[in-house]
Amino acid sequence: MRRGSWISAVISTFAIVGGVVPLASTSGSAAAAAVPTLPVPADVNGIVYPLTSFLDWAENPLENITDPALGEYAVTQLIDQAASAVGQQFPGEIAAAFSANPGTAAVNLSEQMAAELVHLRPVVANDDVTDVANPNYLPDFDHNGVFGDPGDFVAMEQGAQGAAGLGSPGAHPVSGAFLYPCIADSGAVTYETSAGTCAAGGAARTTYKTGLAEQETIIDSRGLALAATLWLPGGAVGAGAGAGAAAAHNFPAVVISDGLASDQSDYFWLAMTLAAQGDIVLTYDPAGQGASEGSVANLFSPSTPDCTFGGACRDLEDAVRWLLDDPITPIVDLAHSTPLFPLTSDPTPSSQAATAVAGNPNLHNPDAVPAGANLPDPAYGLIDPSKVAVAGHSMGALSLLDYVWFQSKGPNGADGQPLPPLAAAVSLSGAAPTAAIVPIQFQTSDFDGSPTLVGPAVGGIEFGASGNGIGYGQIKPVYDQLRTSGPGTSALSLVVLEGGVHTDFIDTPFITRTPWSLAVSAHYATAWLGCFLQDDGPDCLTASLPAADLSSSFASEITPPGGPLPRASHCITVPTTASLGGSPDQIGAALSGHPQFNCTP
């Protein structure tokens, strides 16, 4: 049965099955094991629920703050990283720079330091002092057999800074095995065993399924080094292009694009979950944040039509090109720009290739080695280029939707160069002009919409959002516009998580989000991508059925593929209670017993 037929059949099946299902496995893996349903609010009229649910998003930081082991771990991470940066990495970079080119070393180092200080989160002596990763989702980067200890974080940060700093890009990639996470709606994390069950990490006489994570460096079209990590599922490890036709070009691939002020490690939970499903995954930091080169200006520039974050939109295009071994063409004058503001247009990019490194050693030629600095994707021979998707959060979601918009208009991206086509997309808290030419799943939360305050939207007012396409109030109209007037007629979905905020899809200790957000988000994202990348019927069904911890105040919906326009949207859930995150009209309608929704129950 074709993919479009799966979703159409699922809609009919849903009318028969009905009811709420637990967060069950989407592809036979225990990594998405059943999650119990939370108790239903006692007040059936929904009068108290809007108040009691308002602080759901504060549960995760409260639990983290009261966890002494996590607090001790976070402090250890910060101290170890700072000591390594100040005592080893930074002095080593200074010595290497003067040894390589004493005449220009001081100028080059000053440019690099200036760029680090105007990073989105300033980097001092190669140390992002605010960066903390969740130990539950760290590979064994220090190879001591323990997953998620402080040494793994230090090794990860050293590898990223070494690859994206003044040294030779990609010269010393750091790699390590990772476990397949089983994420519960309580926030607890166990790991999939070889027997297909889930157990706590480090359990005696237990073997676990593992994949391999390897840090990579991508040179973008502006000559800036992007820190990236490639995630290989166990079935792909060691199965190079020469391993036989069964492995070659057989794996789906997913690129994960960061939100603003985030780090790729904030999305390791999703990368590991998708890898457990059998996808090859690429995470990366756009230029100007995380461990990548560049300044905050590089996130916004050069300007890109219909994309607030023009630089980040360009970097997503380059990340997909690198993954598929497509050429990356310079869009700046590599010989005269600086890493602080590499914005000078280059009308003849190819003419700069020969002089790029000699002209400015702080910028890199994005041509493939040996002419340039871009090393090939080591997993390229395993990837099916017809089964590539992107999942993006916030800024990354807007970048993703811009990518699909360009794909709908022709073969080229924002830079005028060929753009590899995507097969599916997952937009986590983002809405922007786009096209339903590939299946798109939108995810948001009850109180999504306030990135500036990292807190809730109230009364439909998204404090700090400034109309940047986030929150239910802006995502729902884009979803409705695509299903009623297009362009495109691919499948669509809108999933609304219960009680959460804009940071529901970020995993870092002490961040505001609900304990269940990662479990619910992974449940629906893996089902959507499993349906459209792997043509998996059970995944198609899972993507269309209600699960625990979806919003009871806003409808979750799905639109099957195919025309004609307008297309009807089918309710996964219907609202039954009010939410303080809704508009005054929505709150009033819900309290009067007539919640607003326009999907077909």
PDB file of all heavy atoms in Angstrom, residues 425-457:
ATOM      1  N   ALA A 425       8.813  16.293   7.128  1.00  0.00           N
ATOM      2  CA  ALA A 425       9.268  17.358   8.012  1.00  0.00           C
ATOM      3  C   ALA A 425       8.506  17.306   9.334  1.00  0.00           C
ATOM      4  O   ALA A 425       7.333  16.926   9.366  1.00  0.00           O
ATOM      5  CB  ALA A 425       9.072  18.720   7.352  1.00  0.00           C
ATOM      6  N   VAL A 426       9.194  17.719  10.401  1.00  0.00           N
ATOM      7  CA  VAL A 426       8.578  17.879  11.725  1.00  0.00           C
ATOM      8  C   VAL A 426       8.955  19.255  12.235  1.00  0.00           C
ATOM      9  O   VAL A 426      10.135  19.531  12.480  1.00  0.00           O
ATOM     10  CB  VAL A 426       9.038  16.794  12.718  1.00  0.00           C
ATOM     11  CG1 VAL A 426       8.461  17.067  14.101  1.00  0.00           C
ATOM     12  CG2 VAL A 426       8.620  15.409  12.239  1.00  0.00           C
ATOM     13  N   SER A 427       7.959  20.120  12.383  1.00  0.00           N
ATOM     14  CA  SER A 427       8.174  21.496  12.835  1.00  0.00           C
ATOM     15  C   SER A 427       7.783  21.603  14.299  1.00  0.00           C
ATOM     16  O   SER A 427       6.599  21.560  14.651  1.00  0.00           O
ATOM     17  CB  SER A 427       7.343  22.464  11.982  1.00  0.00           C
ATOM     18  OG  SER A 427       7.438  23.780  12.478  1.00  0.00           O
ATOM     19  N   LEU A 428       8.776  21.739  15.173  1.00  0.00           N
ATOM     20  CA  LEU A 428       8.544  21.839  16.605  1.00  0.00           C
ATOM     21  C   LEU A 428       8.454  23.314  16.976  1.00  0.00           C
ATOM     22  O   LEU A 428       9.451  24.027  16.981  1.00  0.00           O
ATOM     23  CB  LEU A 428       9.681  21.166  17.381  1.00  0.00           C
ATOM     24  CG  LEU A 428       9.962  19.696  17.017  1.00  0.00           C
ATOM     25  CD1 LEU A 428      11.197  19.191  17.744  1.00  0.00           C
ATOM     26  CD2 LEU A 428       8.754  18.825  17.318  1.00  0.00           C
ATOM     27  N   SER A 429       7.257  23.786  17.229  1.00  0.00           N
ATOM     28  CA  SER A 429       7.008  25.166  17.635  1.00  0.00           C
ATOM     29  C   SER A 429       7.508  26.169  16.607  1.00  0.00           C
ATOM     30  O   SER A 429       8.369  26.996  16.881  1.00  0.00           O
ATOM     31  CB  SER A 429       7.653  25.454  18.994  1.00  0.00           C
ATOM     32  OG  SER A 429       7.283  26.749  19.437  1.00  0.00           O
ATOM     33  N   GLY A 430       6.948  26.091  15.418  1.00  0.00           N
ATOM     34  CA  GLY A 430       7.301  27.051  14.380  1.00  0.00           C
ATOM     35  C   GLY A 430       6.284  27.056  13.265  1.00  0.00           C
ATOM     36  O   GLY A 430       5.755  26.008  12.883  1.00  0.00           O
ATOM     37  N   ALA A 431       5.974  28.245  12.745  1.00  0.00           N
ATOM     38  CA  ALA A 431       5.081  28.387  11.606  1.00  0.00           C
ATOM     39  C   ALA A 431       5.564  29.551  10.763  1.00  0.00           C
ATOM     40  O   ALA A 431       5.915  30.606  11.287  1.00  0.00           O
ATOM     41  CB  ALA A 431       3.635  28.625  12.048  1.00  0.00           C
ATOM     42  N   ALA A 432       5.609  29.343   9.451  1.00  0.00           N
ATOM     43  CA  ALA A 432       6.091  30.355   8.519  1.00  0.00           C
ATOM     44  C   ALA A 432       5.555  29.997   7.138  1.00  0.00           C
ATOM     45  O   ALA A 432       5.055  28.889   6.927  1.00  0.00           O
ATOM     46  CB  ALA A 432       7.622  30.383   8.508  1.00  0.00           C
ATOM     47  N   PRO A 433       5.653  30.923   6.173  1.00  0.00           N
ATOM     48  CA  PRO A 433       5.225  30.582   4.821  1.00  0.00           C
ATOM     49  C   PRO A 433       5.933  29.324   4.327  1.00  0.00           C
ATOM     50  O   PRO A 433       7.155  29.213   4.384  1.00  0.00           O
ATOM     51  CB  PRO A 433       5.644  31.816   4.008  1.00  0.00           C
ATOM     52  CG  PRO A 433       5.630  32.936   4.988  1.00  0.00           C
ATOM     53  CD  PRO A 433       6.095  32.327   6.280  1.00  0.00           C
ATOM     54  N   THR A 434       5.168  28.356   3.867  1.00  0.00           N
ATOM     55  CA  THR A 434       5.743  27.089   3.411  1.00  0.00           C
ATOM     56  C   THR A 434       4.761  26.441   2.449  1.00  0.00           C
ATOM     57  O   THR A 434       3.787  27.071   2.018  1.00  0.00           O
ATOM     58  CB  THR A 434       6.079  26.176   4.604  1.00  0.00           C
ATOM     59  OG1 THR A 434       6.897  25.096   4.162  1.00  0.00           O
ATOM     60  CG2 THR A 434       4.825  25.643   5.283  1.00  0.00           C
ATOM     61  N   ALA A 435       4.987  25.191   2.106  1.00  0.00           N
ATOM     62  CA  ALA A 435       4.132  24.486   1.156  1.00  0.00           C
ATOM     63  C   ALA A 435       3.965  23.043   1.599  1.00  0.00           C
ATOM     64  O   ALA A 435       4.908  22.426   2.109  1.00  0.00           O
ATOM     65  CB  ALA A 435       4.734  24.544  -0.254  1.00  0.00           C
ATOM     66  N   ALA A 436       2.770  22.521   1.397  1.00  0.00           N
ATOM     67  CA  ALA A 436       2.484  21.137   1.774  1.00  0.00           C
ATOM     68  C   ALA A 436       2.867  20.198   0.634  1.00  0.00           C
ATOM     69  O   ALA A 436       2.069  19.380   0.188  1.00  0.00           O
ATOM     70  CB  ALA A 436       1.009  20.990   2.132  1.00  0.00           C
ATOM     71  N   ILE A 437       4.111  20.319   0.181  1.00  0.00           N
ATOM     72  CA  ILE A 437       4.598  19.436  -0.886  1.00  0.00           C
ATOM     73  C   ILE A 437       5.253  18.191  -0.308  1.00  0.00           C
ATOM     74  O   ILE A 437       5.574  17.258  -1.032  1.00  0.00           O
ATOM     75  CB  ILE A 437       5.577  20.173  -1.811  1.00  0.00           C
ATOM     76  CG1 ILE A 437       6.782  20.688  -1.026  1.00  0.00           C
ATOM     77  CG2 ILE A 437       4.878  21.297  -2.545  1.00  0.00           C
ATOM     78  CD1 ILE A 437       7.933  21.114  -1.893  1.00  0.00           C
ATOM     79  N   VAL A 438       5.508  18.191   1.007  1.00  0.00           N
ATOM     80  CA  VAL A 438       5.952  17.009   1.736  1.00  0.00           C
ATOM     81  C   VAL A 438       5.094  16.916   2.991  1.00  0.00           C
ATOM     82  O   VAL A 438       4.539  17.929   3.442  1.00  0.00           O
ATOM     83  CB  VAL A 438       7.452  17.083   2.125  1.00  0.00           C
ATOM     84  CG1 VAL A 438       8.326  17.209   0.881  1.00  0.00           C
ATOM     85  CG2 VAL A 438       7.728  18.217   3.089  1.00  0.00           C
ATOM     86  N   PRO A 439       4.948  15.742   3.576  1.00  0.00           N
ATOM     87  CA  PRO A 439       4.170  15.628   4.808  1.00  0.00           C
ATOM     88  C   PRO A 439       4.822  16.437   5.940  1.00  0.00           C
ATOM     89  O   PRO A 439       6.009  16.271   6.218  1.00  0.00           O
ATOM     90  CB  PRO A 439       4.205  14.129   5.112  1.00  0.00           C
ATOM     91  CG  PRO A 439       4.508  13.479   3.798  1.00  0.00           C
ATOM     92  CD  PRO A 439       5.403  14.425   3.076  1.00  0.00           C
ATOM     93  N   ILE A 440       4.053  17.320   6.563  1.00  0.00           N
ATOM     94  CA  ILE A 440       4.565  18.177   7.630  1.00  0.00           C
ATOM     95  C   ILE A 440       3.763  17.940   8.895  1.00  0.00           C
ATOM     96  O   ILE A 440       2.532  18.036   8.892  1.00  0.00           O
ATOM     97  CB  ILE A 440       4.488  19.670   7.258  1.00  0.00           C
ATOM     98  CG1 ILE A 440       5.244  19.951   5.964  1.00  0.00           C
ATOM     99  CG2 ILE A 440       5.040  20.530   8.387  1.00  0.00           C
ATOM    100  CD1 ILE A 440       5.091  21.389   5.470  1.00  0.00           C
ATOM    101  N   GLN A 441       4.450  17.641   9.975  1.00  0.00           N
ATOM    102  CA  GLN A 441       3.832  17.563  11.289  1.00  0.00           C
ATOM    103  C   GLN A 441       4.253  18.787  12.100  1.00  0.00           C
ATOM    104  O   GLN A 441       5.436  19.050  12.276  1.00  0.00           O
ATOM    105  CB  GLN A 441       4.268  16.296  12.034  1.00  0.00           C
ATOM    106  CG  GLN A 441       3.651  16.137  13.420  1.00  0.00           C
ATOM    107  CD  GLN A 441       4.244  14.960  14.188  1.00  0.00           C
ATOM    108  OE1 GLN A 441       5.325  15.047  14.744  1.00  0.00           O
ATOM    109  NE2 GLN A 441       3.526  13.842  14.186  1.00  0.00           N
ATOM    110  N   PHE A 442       3.273  19.553  12.575  1.00  0.00           N
ATOM    111  CA  PHE A 442       3.523  20.670  13.471  1.00  0.00           C
ATOM    112  C   PHE A 442       3.292  20.202  14.901  1.00  0.00           C
ATOM    113  O   PHE A 442       2.321  19.503  15.185  1.00  0.00           O
ATOM    114  CB  PHE A 442       2.581  21.841  13.176  1.00  0.00           C
ATOM    115  CG  PHE A 442       2.748  22.463  11.826  1.00  0.00           C
ATOM    116  CD1 PHE A 442       1.998  22.035  10.736  1.00  0.00           C
ATOM    117  CD2 PHE A 442       3.662  23.495  11.626  1.00  0.00           C
ATOM    118  CE1 PHE A 442       2.147  22.610   9.480  1.00  0.00           C
ATOM    119  CE2 PHE A 442       3.822  24.080  10.376  1.00  0.00           C
ATOM    120  CZ  PHE A 442       3.060  23.634   9.308  1.00  0.00           C
ATOM    121  N   GLN A 443       4.197  20.592  15.813  1.00  0.00           N
ATOM    122  CA  GLN A 443       3.995  20.324  17.236  1.00  0.00           C
ATOM    123  C   GLN A 443       4.078  21.644  18.008  1.00  0.00           C
ATOM    124  O   GLN A 443       4.912  22.500  17.700  1.00  0.00           O
ATOM    125  CB  GLN A 443       5.042  19.350  17.776  1.00  0.00           C
ATOM    126  CG  GLN A 443       4.934  17.936  17.237  1.00  0.00           C
ATOM    127  CD  GLN A 443       5.836  16.955  17.991  1.00  0.00           C
ATOM    128  OE1 GLN A 443       6.259  17.211  19.127  1.00  0.00           O
ATOM    129  NE2 GLN A 443       6.129  15.819  17.367  1.00  0.00           N
ATOM    130  N   THR A 444       3.211  21.795  18.997  1.00  0.00           N
ATOM    131  CA  THR A 444       3.235  22.956  19.883  1.00  0.00           C
ATOM    132  C   THR A 444       2.694  22.520  21.242  1.00  0.00           C
ATOM    133  O   THR A 444       2.459  21.331  21.463  1.00  0.00           O
ATOM    134  CB  THR A 444       2.425  24.120  19.273  1.00  0.00           C
ATOM    135  OG1 THR A 444       2.523  25.267  20.111  1.00  0.00           O
ATOM    136  CG2 THR A 444       0.959  23.753  19.111  1.00  0.00           C
ATOM    137  N   SER A 445       2.510  23.471  22.161  1.00  0.00           N
ATOM    138  CA  SER A 445       2.047  23.160  23.514  1.00  0.00           C
ATOM    139  C   SER A 445       1.017  24.185  23.963  1.00  0.00           C
ATOM    140  O   SER A 445       0.873  25.253  23.365  1.00  0.00           O
ATOM    141  CB  SER A 445       3.219  23.148  24.505  1.00  0.00           C
ATOM    142  OG  SER A 445       4.185  22.174  24.161  1.00  0.00           O
ATOM    143  N   ASP A 446       0.309  23.888  25.034  1.00  0.00           N
ATOM    144  CA  ASP A 446      -0.745  24.762  25.551  1.00  0.00           C
ATOM    145  C   ASP A 446      -0.290  26.207  25.707  1.00  0.00           C
ATOM    146  O   ASP A 446      -1.011  27.141  25.369  1.00  0.00           O
ATOM    147  CB  ASP A 446      -1.242  24.250  26.907  1.00  0.00           C
ATOM    148  CG  ASP A 446      -2.270  23.132  26.761  1.00  0.00           C
ATOM    149  OD1 ASP A 446      -2.833  22.980  25.663  1.00  0.00           O
ATOM    150  OD2 ASP A 446      -2.504  22.416  27.752  1.00  0.00           O
ATOM    151  N   PHE A 447       0.904  26.415  26.276  1.00  0.00           N
ATOM    152  CA  PHE A 447       1.364  27.769  26.606  1.00  0.00           C
ATOM    153  C   PHE A 447       2.570  28.192  25.759  1.00  0.00           C
ATOM    154  O   PHE A 447       3.314  29.097  26.125  1.00  0.00           O
ATOM    155  CB  PHE A 447       1.717  27.856  28.094  1.00  0.00           C
ATOM    156  CG  PHE A 447       0.569  27.499  29.003  1.00  0.00           C
ATOM    157  CD1 PHE A 447       0.567  26.296  29.690  1.00  0.00           C
ATOM    158  CD2 PHE A 447      -0.509  28.352  29.154  1.00  0.00           C
ATOM    159  CE1 PHE A 447      -0.491  25.953  30.516  1.00  0.00           C
ATOM    160  CE2 PHE A 447      -1.566  28.015  29.983  1.00  0.00           C
ATOM    161  CZ  PHE A 447      -1.577  26.813  30.672  1.00  0.00           C
ATOM    162  N   ASP A 448       2.753  27.529  24.628  1.00  0.00           N
ATOM    163  CA  ASP A 448       3.860  27.858  23.740  1.00  0.00           C
ATOM    164  C   ASP A 448       3.703  29.290  23.221  1.00  0.00           C
ATOM    165  O   ASP A 448       2.598  29.746  22.945  1.00  0.00           O
ATOM    166  CB  ASP A 448       3.854  26.886  22.561  1.00  0.00           C
ATOM    167  CG  ASP A 448       5.010  27.074  21.611  1.00  0.00           C
ATOM    168  OD1 ASP A 448       5.959  27.800  21.958  1.00  0.00           O
ATOM    169  OD2 ASP A 448       4.956  26.480  20.516  1.00  0.00           O
ATOM    170  N   GLY A 449       4.849  29.998  23.100  1.00  0.00           N
ATOM    171  CA  GLY A 449       4.783  31.311  22.489  1.00  0.00           C
ATOM    172  C   GLY A 449       5.579  32.390  23.172  1.00  0.00           C
ATOM    173  O   GLY A 449       5.469  33.549  22.793  1.00  0.00           O
ATOM    174  N   SER A 450       6.389  32.079  24.179  1.00  0.00           N
ATOM    175  CA  SER A 450       7.137  33.117  24.887  1.00  0.00           C
ATOM    176  C   SER A 450       8.604  32.750  25.039  1.00  0.00           C
ATOM    177  O   SER A 450       9.066  32.426  26.130  1.00  0.00           O
ATOM    178  CB  SER A 450       6.523  33.361  26.270  1.00  0.00           C
ATOM    179  OG  SER A 450       5.215  33.842  26.160  1.00  0.00           O
ATOM    180  N   PRO A 451       9.361  32.784  23.957  1.00  0.00           N
ATOM    181  CA  PRO A 451      10.770  32.385  24.066  1.00  0.00           C
ATOM    182  C   PRO A 451      11.607  33.353  24.882  1.00  0.00           C
ATOM    183  O   PRO A 451      12.581  32.968  25.510  1.00  0.00           O
ATOM    184  CB  PRO A 451      11.226  32.353  22.602  1.00  0.00           C
ATOM    185  CG  PRO A 451      10.321  33.307  21.907  1.00  0.00           C
ATOM    186  CD  PRO A 451       8.998  33.178  22.595  1.00  0.00           C
ATOM    187  N   THR A 452      11.249  34.647  24.874  1.00  0.00           N
ATOM    188  CA  THR A 452      12.065  35.630  25.591  1.00  0.00           C
ATOM    189  C   THR A 452      12.057  35.359  27.085  1.00  0.00           C
ATOM    190  O   THR A 452      13.080  35.424  27.764  1.00  0.00           O
ATOM    191  CB  THR A 452      11.554  37.054  25.311  1.00  0.00           C
ATOM    192  OG1 THR A 452      11.602  37.290  23.908  1.00  0.00           O
ATOM    193  CG2 THR A 452      12.427  38.082  26.013  1.00  0.00           C
ATOM    194  N   LEU A 453      10.873  35.039  27.619  1.00  0.00           N
ATOM    195  CA  LEU A 453      10.749  34.805  29.055  1.00  0.00           C
ATOM    196  C   LEU A 453      10.925  33.336  29.414  1.00  0.00           C
ATOM    197  O   LEU A 453      10.963  32.993  30.588  1.00  0.00           O
ATOM    198  CB  LEU A 453       9.372  35.280  29.546  1.00  0.00           C
ATOM    199  CG  LEU A 453       9.062  36.770  29.307  1.00  0.00           C
ATOM    200  CD1 LEU A 453       7.660  37.091  29.827  1.00  0.00           C
ATOM    201  CD2 LEU A 453      10.084  37.644  30.013  1.00  0.00           C
ATOM    202  N   VAL A 454      11.011  32.468  28.427  1.00  0.00           N
ATOM    203  CA  VAL A 454      11.046  31.021  28.642  1.00  0.00           C
ATOM    204  C   VAL A 454       9.919  30.636  29.587  1.00  0.00           C
ATOM    205  O   VAL A 454      10.098  29.876  30.534  1.00  0.00           O
ATOM    206  CB  VAL A 454      12.406  30.546  29.198  1.00  0.00           C
ATOM    207  CG1 VAL A 454      12.567  29.047  28.995  1.00  0.00           C
ATOM    208  CG2 VAL A 454      13.551  31.261  28.510  1.00  0.00           C
ATOM    209  N   GLY A 455       8.749  31.228  29.345  1.00  0.00           N
ATOM    210  CA  GLY A 455       7.584  30.987  30.172  1.00  0.00           C
ATOM    211  C   GLY A 455       6.344  30.898  29.319  1.00  0.00           C
ATOM    212  O   GLY A 455       6.415  30.738  28.101  1.00  0.00           O
ATOM    213  N   PRO A 456       5.166  31.012  29.927  1.00  0.00           N
ATOM    214  CA  PRO A 456       3.927  30.717  29.211  1.00  0.00           C
ATOM    215  C   PRO A 456       3.335  31.896  28.454  1.00  0.00           C
ATOM    216  O   PRO A 456       3.492  33.051  28.837  1.00  0.00           O
ATOM    217  CB  PRO A 456       2.991  30.292  30.347  1.00  0.00           C
ATOM    218  CG  PRO A 456       3.445  31.138  31.507  1.00  0.00           C
ATOM    219  CD  PRO A 456       4.951  31.236  31.366  1.00  0.00           C
ATOM    220  N   ALA A 457       2.621  31.581  27.388  1.00  0.00           N
ATOM    221  CA  ALA A 457       1.721  32.541  26.758  1.00  0.00           C
ATOM    222  C   ALA A 457       0.438  32.557  27.572  1.00  0.00           C
ATOM    223  O   ALA A 457      -0.033  31.510  28.010  1.00  0.00           O
ATOM    224  CB  ALA A 457       1.433  32.127  25.319  1.00  0.00           C
TER     225      ALA A 457
END
